[in-house]
Amino acid sequence: MATCCFRACSSLAFSASSSKPEDSISRRRMSCVLLPLQRRSFLMKSSNGHPLNAVSFQDGLSENSPIEDRIGHLSESKHNETTISITVVGASGDLARKKIFPALFALFYEDWLPEHFTVFGYARSKLTDEELRNMISGTLTCRIDKSENCGDKMEQFLQRCFYHSGQYNSEDDFAELDKKLKLKEEGRKPNRLFYLSIPPNVFVDVVRCASRHASSPTGWTRVIVEKPFGRDSDSSAELTRCLKQYLSEDQIFRIDHYLGKELVENLSVLRFSNLVFEPLWSRQYIRNVQLIFSEDFGTEGRGGYFDSYGIIRDIMQNHLLQILALFAMETPVSLDAEDIRNEKVKVLRSMRKLQLDDVVIGQYKGHTKGGKSFPGYTDDPTVPKNSLTPTFAAAALFIDNVRWDGVPFLMKAGKALHTRRDQSSVQACSRVTCISEHSVLIWIKQPMSSSFVCNLMKLFI
Ligand SMILES: NC(=O)C1=CN([C@@H]2O[C@H](COP(=O)(O)OP(=O)(O)OC[C@H]3O[C@@H](n4cnc5c(N)ncnc54)[C@H](OP(=O)(O)O)[C@@H]3O)[C@@H](O)[C@H]2O)C=CC1
Ligand SMILES: O=C1O[C@H](COP(=O)(O)O)[C@@H](O)[C@H](O)[C@H]1O
């Protein structure tokens, strides 16, 4: 169940980041969303069994009234109503700005948030509510099918966004956040969601502080955790152990947003629902598989997170490995999340231990092109000058099973490369018929309509 929600949530949250109108959020995918927030029907129940009733949004007493008065007064009339408070922790950062706030706006625009909800940004940076709104308003787009009243809707959404500055390990700061949340919740039964858009080394601090001082007293409390989940197996296990001191497993939603890319979601359907592909999907016809992540911009101020992890932990170990597993797995018993996960695990367990000789790493340097200068990785002020963190890596991986024996899975990932960012692709090339370069080319970042190119002539020669 949790996996289903996490996949759906990631698709929902991140499909909102594109500015292309054809990327409209599909209602099909929304039907399995992490936040069961459909305003009109509210048939789904939250994890603690409370229904998410429709609520009305009224301001109640004036801002100047004491908090207790406001809450006390309102709770008489609203104690049966439910509200949701979404706190984006790390609100000043790249992910929050580019993807999370736009995704929340898209939900709001499409009426998928309950009538009463509040969004809080939380980070150490000192910002006012207005500064947060200015920051995020630049990334909100009306890329949804109909863009009527978009400006009004943006304004309404921004008015529901607030900011609280605090340290990630300060219980006092989270207690202050709790007071502000209560004020906005106005006596309604609150459900609270914390989206951890921060480097993993502060996950546990935040979860400790939030669960002790800012969890919902009567509704559910859930936490979305971003990858990477630790630096290695030991730290990943330790992270899970620590999180579980404060949360039960069904409160934790782990996200890999590449699973939400439309084509990644459709990879299983492509394979298992099209009889033409499945017989060709093996060492017999596929010479190699390439998974390429290529961005034409660098860290741009994200060194605080990136430098401790590097490109392998940022992209390869999670996004690309997830795609590899989906690409290579055997037919699952069903397309249910658990069944797919079981098949993916089998692929990962069949993988040969990576040899150093099969890996290349690098770091981008500054250069000048056409009179314009491009900074190197260590020119980024958030990166230590002597950093050796890789920003590029390429590796040849092998799966030692009957289907894939001897077929290299080539992974490449890099920041600040020459190629444009929409050139991530999965390539498969027929062993027998690879006259030109590609037999099957799957674009991950492109909209569905132009993202799958299949040269049937070559496949069937
Ligand atoms: N950027 C993206 O596109 C994606 C990112 N992610 C994941 O999201 C998480 C955040 O990524 P992103 O937003 O890019 O990262 P950022 O570097 O932008 O960091 C987010 C915020 O965390 C705080 N921060 C940064 N470095 C540190 C540090 N060393 N210690 C404590 N706080 C710090 C900063 O806020 P302040 O100083 O104000 O407290 C910053 O604004 C990561 O786990 C990443 O893997 C996942 C998918 C996509
Ligand atoms: O997880 C991450 O992904 C982004 C790229 O995501 P995309 O959806 O825009 O392709 C990457 O820039 C970032 O470094 C990484 O943390």
Side-chain angles (χ1 to χ4, degrees):
M1 179 58 188
T3 317
C4 163
C5 291
F6 119 61
R7 292 190 62 233
C9 172
S10 62
S11 62
L12 186 62
F14 293 100
S15 58
S17 67
S18 161
S19 58
K20 296 190 179 77
E22 59 271 53
D23 268 355
S24 65
I25 292 177
S26 90
R27 291 195 177 268
R28 177 182 60 76
R29 283 189 287 141
M30 278 188 172
S31 63
C32 181
V33 62
L34 167 69
L35 307 171
L37 297 173
Q38 190 172 12
R39 186 196 292 176
R40 296 188 194 91
S41 59
F42 282 90
L43 294 175
M44 296 179 79
K45 290 188 175 175
S46 57
S47 62
N48 62 8
H50 294 150
L52 291 168
N53 295 327
V55 289
S56 63
F57 182 65
Q58 294 164 19
D59 278 330
L61 297 185
S62 85
E63 285 285 336
N64 298 328
S65 312
I67 296 178
E68 293 74 15
D69 285 1
R70 298 185 65 197
I71 293 171
H73 171 88
L74 285 159
S75 54
E76 284 168 24
S77 59
K78 302 194 174 171
H79 68 280
N80 282 331
E81 296 178 357
T82 305
T83 181
I84 180 155
S85 298
I86 302 168
T87 303
V88 180
V89 186
S92 56
D94 187 74
L95 176 70
R97 192 178 61 250
K98 285 189 194 157
K99 304 200 176 187
I100 301 172
F101 287 112
L104 291 172
F105 171 63
L107 286 172
F108 171 71
Y109 185 93
E110 293 273 324
D111 281 344
W112 284 87
L113 291 182
E115 198 160 342
H116 192 276
F117 72 93
T118 307
V119 176
F120 259 86
Y122 185 106
R124 298 170 306 180
S125 301
K126 303 272 180 243
L127 296 178
T128 62
D129 292 345
E130 217 39 54
E131 284 167 334
L132 174 81
R133 290 171 188 158
N134 286 340
M135 184 189 92
I136 59 185
S137 65
T139 57
L140 303 185
T141 54
C142 296
R143 49 170 213 81
I144 321 147
D145 294 343
K146 47 180 180 15
S147 55
E148 302 135 24
N149 306 325
C150 195
D152 291 348
K153 286 286 217 175
M154 273 187 195
E155 201 41 48
Q156 289 165 23
F157 176 77
L158 290 170
Q159 290 312 312
R160 308 280 187 95
C161 295
F162 304 89
Y163 187 76
H164 182 68
S165 168
Q167 298 298 316
Y168 299 120
N169 60 358
S170 164
E171 301 203 2
D172 290 346
D173 290 345
F174 275 86
E176 286 302 311
L177 171 72
D178 184 61
K179 285 187 195 158
K180 289 189 180 173
L181 292 176
K182 284 201 172 98
L183 189 58
K184 302 294 174 206
E185 287 158 352
E186 299 180 324
R188 297 175 176 89
K189 189 184 292 172
N191 291 314
R192 291 190 181 170
L193 174 69
F194 292 86
Y195 197 122
L196 304 194
S197 181
I198 40 175
N201 55 310
V202 286
F203 285 172
V204 177
D205 282 340
V206 169
V207 167
R208 187 189 65 250
C209 297
S211 70
R212 285 189 180 156
H213 297 283
S215 59
S216 170
T218 49
W220 51 252
T221 301
R222 294 175 185 167
V223 176
I224 300 182
V225 186
E226 274 289 350
K227 45 69 30 177
F229 314 114
R231 290 177 53 81
D232 51 26
S233 313
D234 289 347
S235 57
S236 174
E238 178 63 7
L239 176 63
T240 299
R241 193 189 64 75
C242 292
L243 292 177
K244 288 197 171 176
Q245 287 179 347
Y246 308 104
L247 301 168
S248 57
E249 185 57 41
D250 64 2
Q251 292 179 283
I252 305 172
F253 295 82
R254 298 172 182 84
I255 284 220
D256 182 313
H257 81 279
Y258 263 62
L259 290 175
K261 302 254 179 206
E262 187 137 18
L263 254 165
V264 177
E265 282 200 320
N266 282 330
L267 200 49
S268 324
V269 179
L270 171 79
R271 279 188 63 191
F272 303 122
S273 306
N274 291 285
L275 289 178
V276 287
F277 289 121
E278 185 47 23
L280 306 175
W281 219 262
S282 74
R283 63 185 296 274
Q284 209 178 343
Y285 294 107
I286 291 182
R287 191 173 64 175
N288 65 65
V289 178
Q290 299 185 28
L291 298 127
I292 304 164
F293 173 96
S294 166
E295 277 185 341
D296 64 355
F297 56 92
T299 42
E300 300 181 352
R302 290 181 62 218
Y305 151 68
F306 187 89
D307 197 64
S308 309
Y309 292 90
I311 198 76
I312 296 175
R313 292 184 179 91
D314 188 44
I315 301 294
M316 284 183 153
Q317 178 275 335
N318 31 67
H319 301 327
L320 296 191
L321 208 51
Q322 284 283 358
I323 300 172
L324 180 149
L326 273 175
F327 188 97
M329 71 185 184
E330 294 300 314
T331 310
V333 176
S334 79
L335 290 182
D336 287 351
E338 294 278 298
D339 292 328
I340 291 178
R341 191 201 56 192
N342 290 343
E343 290 308 327
K344 288 201 288 193
V345 168
K346 285 185 203 159
V347 172
L348 299 177
R349 295 177 84 169
S350 308
M351 289 186 74
R352 198 182 298 169
K353 199 170 168 189
L354 190 59
Q355 302 299 310
L356 270 185
D357 282 351
D358 289 335
V359 185
V360 176
I361 55 172
Q363 187 187 84
Y364 66 88
K365 298 287 168 211
H367 69 283
T368 308
K369 193 176 167 194
K372 196 175 168 206
S373 52
F374 296 85
Y377 176 63
T378 53
D379 298 328
D380 183 329
T382 58
V383 170
K385 287 283 166 243
N386 58 354
S387 172
L388 292 175
T389 299
T391 64
F392 173 87
L397 301 152
F398 291 89
I399 301 169
D400 289 332
N401 65 16
V402 174
R403 189 187 283 267
W404 298 115
D405 184 31
V407 177
F409 281 73
L410 304 167
M411 272 191 189
K412 279 190 247 172
K415 290 194 164 282
L417 299 179
H418 291 294
T419 43
R420 287 159 53 90
R421 57 174 296 152
D422 60 0
Q423 289 184 331
S424 287
S425 64
V426 176
Q427 300 176 340
C429 181
S430 157
R431 184 186 284 259
V432 188
T433 62
C434 192
I435 302 162
S436 69
E437 206 183 342
H438 311 130
S439 292
V440 180
L441 175 59
I442 302 174
W443 298 97
I444 297 164
K445 289 186 177 178
Q446 296 282 57
M448 185 61 178
S449 54
S450 61
S451 56
F452 175 59
V453 180
C454 175
N455 188 335
L456 290 173
M457 287 302 288
K458 290 197 185 83
L459 275 174
F460 285 101
I461 282 173

